Amino acid sequence: MNLLRSATALVSGLLFGFGLALSGMMDPEKVLGFLDIAGAWDPSLVFVLGGAVGVSGLGYLIRARMARPLLAPRFEIPTTSKLDARLIGGAALFGIGWGLAGFCPGPALAGLVLGLPPVAVFVAAMLAGMLLHRLSAGGWPVTPPRQGELGR
């Protein structure tokens, strides 16, 4: 079962990366053109957003008809809808970084295969920021394994 889960994750990741490349999300100029609503706005990424919302909505419809996922013991659906300062601050920081660099984490990681120095610098800065956050938040979280996950 682990091999099937790993293969499914690999194929999903490759499909996601291909979609990012095909849509132009790995091109900072295209992303910045989308964010420039007061200037030369490029609305083409609205279709990427629409496609993502459509696929996600379809996934939720399919999930509603399933007792459990095919390759996991249960569905992992967020249960909280709390809006707090930490969530809003993180979203704002994400948006500012996206607007300044033209990259967000998914397309940047996919863009590493292009070997472009700006992508590598962005990913290094992103990883450094993640490490700094972990260290300032009290270290790495320790999560005990869930029932039935030992030995996986």
Side-chain angles (χ1 to χ4, degrees), residues 101 103 108 112 115-129:
F103 289 114
L112 281 175
L116 301 173
V119 177
V121 169
F122 175 85
V123 170
M126 177 181 72
L127 293 174

Side-chain angles (χ1 to χ4, degrees), residues 39-141:
W41 186 53
D42 178 1
S44 62
L45 292 185
V46 169
F47 297 106
V48 175
L49 175 63
V53 169
V55 169
S56 178
L58 181 62
Y60 272 94
L61 286 173
I62 292 169
R63 185 208 59 87
R65 299 174 193 267
M66 297 174 67
R68 63 177 282 278
L70 297 175
L71 301 176
R74 67 183 166 282
F75 288 104
E76 299 288 341
I77 306 294
T79 57
T80 184
S81 59
K82 180 177 73 166
L83 292 176
D84 59 7
R86 193 169 170 212
L87 175 66
I88 293 169
L93 187 59
F94 174 88
I96 291 167
W98 193 32
L100 288 173
F103 289 114
C104 68
L109 290 174
L112 281 175
V113 300
L114 301 175
L116 301 173
V119 177
V121 169
F122 175 85
V123 170
M126 177 181 72
L127 293 174
M130 292 166 70
L131 177 62
L132 182 63
H133 172 265
R134 283 289 179 208
L135 294 176
S136 68
W140 301 106

Side-chain angles (χ1 to χ4, degrees), residues 2-64:
N2 283 337
L3 181 60
L4 184 56
R5 286 177 70 171
S6 296
T8 301
L10 176 64
V11 169
S12 298
L14 290 172
L15 182 61
F16 181 67
F18 176 74
L20 291 173
L22 183 65
S23 68
M25 289 289 294
M26 290 176 16
D27 179 5
E29 295 302 318
K30 182 127 179 119
V31 172
L32 293 173
F34 172 70
L35 295 175
D36 185 12
I37 57 174
W41 186 53
D42 178 1
S44 62
L45 292 185
V46 169
F47 297 106
V48 175
L49 175 63
V53 169
V55 169
S56 178
L58 181 62
Y60 272 94
L61 286 173
I62 292 169
R63 185 208 59 87

